[in-house]
Amino acid sequence: DPPVLQAIDLRKHFPVRGTRSRKVVHAVDDVNIELYRGRVVALVGESGSGKSTIARLLAQLMPVTGGQILLHGEDATAKNRKAFHRYVRRVQMIFQDPFGSLNPVHTVRYTLTRSLKIHRGRLRGVELEAALDELLDRVQLRPAARYIDKFPHELSGGQRQRVAIARALAANPEVLLADEPISMLDVSIRLGILNLLRDLRDRLQLAILYITHDIASARYFADRTMVMYAGRIVETGDSESVTQDPKHPYTQLLVRSAPDPDDLESRARGARGEAPSLVAPPTGCRFNPRCPFATDLCRTEVPPLIAVGEGREAACWGYSDREDRPSLGSVLDAYG
Ligand code: ATP
Ligand code: MG
C-alpha cells in the first residue's frame, strides 16, 4: 500500500524575530516522512531539533518553505478554506498539554459535540448521544455519563488527554499527529495513553506520527523510528534495530550513554559544546561539532541518508564508500 501521508523534502525556515536582516532559523531541512495505515512512526530528537515544526507543517497550521505534502499520493497543500477543511478532517493533531488545548469553560459534551458538528455535520438527539458515547468508549472513558458533563479542571491529566484524543477522533481521521502526547503526564499513566493510541492504531488502522524526546518510548510504541538532529533526519529504521544497534554517532549517544535523555544532553554538551545555532547551522553534517569522529568531509558536505541495513538509513559519512570517510569508533569511549 502507498503511504497515507507523505512529506517530500520538507523545509521550514523562520525569519529571525526582531531583526531586519534576512537571516532565518533553519528549523527543518530536507525531511522525508511516510506514514502508513495502521503503523506508528516515532520522531525522536532533543529540544529545538524541529519536531513540533514538522507536526505543524504536516497539520498545515503554517505554510512550508519548501517541499511537498501528499495525501494518498496527491498534493495536499491546501489552496483554500474548503480544501484545508477536508485536509484537517483526515489529519488531526494531539498536543502535549491537554489542559492548554481544551477550553476550560467548555464541558466534555460541548467540546466533542462541536468537533462532531464541524466534521460530521449536525447530529441531534439519540444520534448525537450515541456518537458521544462511542467517542468516550473509544478512549476508554466509561461509563460516558461519568465524564460527559465535566469541565477540564474536573478531570485528571490522563482523562483530559483522552478527551483531546476523542475530539480528534470525532473527525474520523486517517492520520494522528501526536506531539509529545505523554510528556506532561504523570509517569504512572503514560503507558495507559500509549496503549490507548496503540489500540486506536489497530482498531481504526490509524497512521500515527509519535513525537517524543524519549527513545525508549519510541521503541515501545513505534514501528519505525526517525531520529532528528538540528532540523535534519539523521537515522531511520525499525524501532527495534535503531534502539538496539544505533548507527549514527548521535543516535548512539542518545541510546547508550544514559537512560535519561535530558541527562545525556547535558553530558554531551558538557563534553562538546552546545547544540548548534539553527540561524547559522554548521556546514556539512550538523552534528560535526559534537562528533568525536568528524573529519574535513563531515565539516564541508552534508551527508545523505545512506543505507546501513534492511530498511535502515543513517546520514553519516562513516557509512559511505568515499575514500576520505571518517572511521567510526565507540562513541562512549570517545566521550570518556
Ligand atoms: P521541543 O522538544 O522543545 O518541543 P522541537 O523539536 O519541537 O523542540 P521546534 O519547536 O520545532 O523544536 O523548534 C525548532 C526550531 O525552530 C527552534 O530553534 C525554534 O526556536 C524555532 N522556531 C519554532 N517556531 C518558530 C517560530 N514561529 N518563529 C521562529 N522560530 C521558531
Ligand atoms: Mg516540540
Side-chain angles (χ1 to χ4, degrees), residues 21-90:
S21 72
R22 296 267 176 84
K23 288 197 175 133
V24 295
V25 178
H26 294 248
V28 171
D29 272 313
D30 305 325
V31 165
N32 290 283
I33 297 180
E34 293 175 352
L35 300 178
Y36 292 91
R37 246 171 88 77
R39 312 288 282 170
V40 179
V41 171
L43 192 59
V44 182
E46 62 193 43
S47 193
S49 56
K51 306 182 298 295
S52 294
T53 302
I54 288 181
R56 277 185 253 131
L57 291 173
L58 292 179
Q60 299 202 30
L61 298 177
M62 56 189 185
V64 303
T65 305
Q68 268 187 301
I69 296 170
L70 307 181
L71 188 64
H72 296 293
E74 287 181 29
D75 177 27
T77 321
K79 283 155 192 90
N80 53 49
R81 269 186 53 195
K82 229 174 124 190
F84 176 70
H85 190 74
R86 256 199 318 270
Y87 185 84
V88 296
R89 198 181 302 163
R90 291 176 165 172

Side-chain angles (χ1 to χ4, degrees), residues 14-25 279:
F14 294 105
V16 176
R17 273 182 282 237
T19 66
R20 300 187 63 192
S21 72
R22 296 267 176 84
K23 288 197 175 133
V24 295
V25 178
V279 177

Side-chain angles (χ1 to χ4, degrees), residues 41-327:
V41 171
L43 192 59
V44 182
E46 62 193 43
S47 193
S49 56
K51 306 182 298 295
S52 294
T53 302
I54 288 181
R56 277 185 253 131
L57 291 173
L58 292 179
Q60 299 202 30
L61 298 177
M62 56 189 185
V64 303
T65 305
Q68 268 187 301
I69 296 170
L70 307 181
L71 188 64
H72 296 293
E74 287 181 29
D75 177 27
T77 321
K79 283 155 192 90
N80 53 49
R81 269 186 53 195
K82 229 174 124 190
F84 176 70
H85 190 74
R86 256 199 318 270
Y87 185 84
V88 296
R89 198 181 302 163
R90 291 176 165 172
V91 181
Q92 283 278 310
M93 192 151 163
I94 298 164
F95 299 91
Q96 187 171 31
D97 175 12
F99 222 167
S101 64
L102 295 178
N103 190 325
V105 303
H106 291 166
T107 61
V108 172
R109 177 190 297 279
Y110 184 95
T111 297
L112 297 184
T113 302
R114 188 148 163 260
S115 186
L116 283 168
K117 186 179 151 197
I118 292 171
H119 297 291
R120 296 195 203 169
R122 198 182 294 278
L123 300 172
R124 282 172 218 278
V126 286
E127 247 185 1
L128 174 62
E129 292 307 313
L132 292 171
D133 259 19
E134 191 196 318
L135 282 176
L136 289 176
D137 185 66
R138 279 262 152 83
V139 297
Q140 298 154 13
L141 291 175
R142 308 179 185 117
R146 186 182 299 162
Y147 302 97
I148 192 78
D149 293 313
K150 293 268 202 295
F151 289 94
H153 73 266
E154 298 176 296
L155 301 170
S156 71
Q159 290 166 349
R160 283 198 291 270
Q161 194 59 293
R162 286 169 193 268
V163 172
I165 294 168
R167 178 181 57 187
L169 295 180
N172 261 336
E174 294 177 74
V175 179
L176 272 190
L177 307 171
D179 189 357
E180 307 214 39
I182 59 170
S183 63
M184 288 184 68
L185 302 179
D186 211 73
V187 173
S188 64
I189 59 166
R190 288 181 178 178
L191 213 56
I193 297 291
L194 285 188
N195 288 338
L196 167 64
L197 289 171
R198 174 183 281 176
D199 175 66
L200 296 173
R201 173 198 72 180
D202 294 339
R203 289 208 295 165
L204 305 177
Q205 287 293 295
L206 292 175
I208 299 179
L209 181 69
Y210 171 60
I211 291 178
T212 181
H213 279 87
D214 173 22
I215 199 160
S217 77
R219 180 179 175 195
Y220 175 77
F221 176 45
D223 303 292
R224 288 183 68 77
T225 290
M226 310 184 77
V227 180
M228 257 195 115
Y229 184 78
R232 290 186 186 277
I233 302 296
V234 295
E235 179 154 0
T236 73
D238 67 277
S239 303
E240 183 73 18
S241 1
V242 169
T243 48
Q244 289 292 93
D245 179 26
K247 300 293 189 188
H248 195 285
Y250 174 66
T251 317
Q252 292 178 357
L253 209 56
L254 202 61
V255 171
R256 288 187 182 151
S257 12
D260 176 358
D262 294 324
D263 180 43
L264 162 67
E265 281 178 37
S266 58
R267 266 187 60 184
R269 259 200 294 279
R272 290 279 173 132
E274 294 285 320
S277 155
L278 296 180
V279 177
T283 54
C285 172
R286 288 185 182 173
F287 187 61
N288 86 66
R290 287 162 81 178
C291 183
F293 314 115
T295 61
D296 280 347
L297 175 62
C298 308
R299 287 185 276 272
T300 50
E301 289 183 47
V302 179
L305 281 163
I306 295 167
V308 289
E310 183 71 27
R312 300 195 56 190
E313 295 174 313
C316 172
W317 284 120
Y319 299 98
S320 73
D321 51 14
R322 287 185 52 144
E323 303 258 309
D324 54 348
R325 67 177 178 269
S327 55

